[in-house]
Amino acid sequence: MVEIKSSFANEEQCAHAIEELRTAQIANFTTFSPIPSHKIEHAIGKKKSPVRWIVLTGGISGVLTGLAITIGTTYEWRLNAGGKPLVSWPPFIVICFELMVLFGGIFGFFGVLGLAGIPTTESAEGFEGSFDEDRFGIVVRVDETLAPQIQSMLKESGAENVIREGV
């Protein structure tokens, strides 16, 4: 197995190289970017994040918890305020809304942390400091037989540096 590191000056060249890799059906690669890039995400074929469904689950859990607490407390204590019915929806809506926002935020926070793999104690394989400063990088892991083809493909796509390392 060979590791090929390449760096690019701009995101267009990097995205083009990713598209070339995907066209050649090379799937074992890692990308690095100093900024968030929609072009690179699109080239990778990244799907939408499931965080929105995690937040929805948290919001629904908050509403159900709010209903359970308010209705449960009302029936447990049987406090009749001014002859109103025991289960009076207007004040319960406020509690349900507040818990929906709270639980949705908490679920979203931990969902992002979990899906991002945070905290991590080590940097990704193939990472170089220049990928974090001003360069876009692609690290490809392929068999020895495909390495020359991948190297030329990356150079033709506009890579500034292409380094081949044995793993």
Side-chain angles (χ1 to χ4, degrees), residues 1-143:
M1 196 64 114
V2 174
E3 188 173 85
I4 301 171
K5 295 181 183 180
S6 57
S7 63
F8 298 86
N10 60 45
E11 64 183 328
E12 288 85 11
Q13 293 174 335
C14 186
H16 177 68
I18 293 168
E19 289 169 357
E20 292 290 324
L21 287 171
R22 290 190 68 208
T23 302
Q25 297 181 347
I26 305 295
N28 193 6
F29 63 88
T30 306
T31 59
F32 300 98
S33 173
I35 59 169
S37 172
H38 294 293
K39 291 178 183 177
I40 292 175
E41 286 179 7
H42 180 69
I44 291 172
K46 193 169 188 166
K47 296 182 173 122
K48 290 186 178 179
S49 172
V51 172
R52 57 189 173 160
W53 297 109
I54 295 171
V55 172
L56 177 66
T57 304
I60 292 170
S61 299
V63 169
L64 295 176
T65 301
L67 288 172
I69 288 173
T70 53
I71 293 172
T73 303
T74 302
Y75 279 126
E76 180 68 28
W77 289 93
R78 299 260 182 216
L79 295 175
N80 190 348
K84 295 179 187 169
L86 285 177
V87 178
S88 178
W89 292 107
F92 293 178
I93 299 289
V94 175
I95 303 298
C96 290
F97 173 77
E98 294 297 333
L99 287 177
M100 176 188 68
V101 172
L102 176 68
F103 281 32
I106 291 171
F107 275 50
F109 176 74
F110 285 110
V112 167
L113 289 181
L115 292 171
I118 298 174
T120 183
T121 56
E122 55 191 51
S123 61
E125 279 188 44
F127 178 77
E128 291 184 7
S130 63
F131 297 158
D132 200 22
E133 296 169 1
D134 63 345
R135 295 288 180 254
F136 296 86
I138 301 175
V139 178
V140 185
R141 288 168 201 81
V142 293
D143 290 330

Side-chain angles (χ1 to χ4, degrees), residues 4 21 24 26 140 142 146-155:
I4 301 171
L21 287 171
I26 305 295
V140 185
V142 293
L146 292 174
Q149 175 189 355
I150 301 301
Q151 282 181 294
S152 64
M153 184 185 306
L154 291 170
K155 286 179 183 174

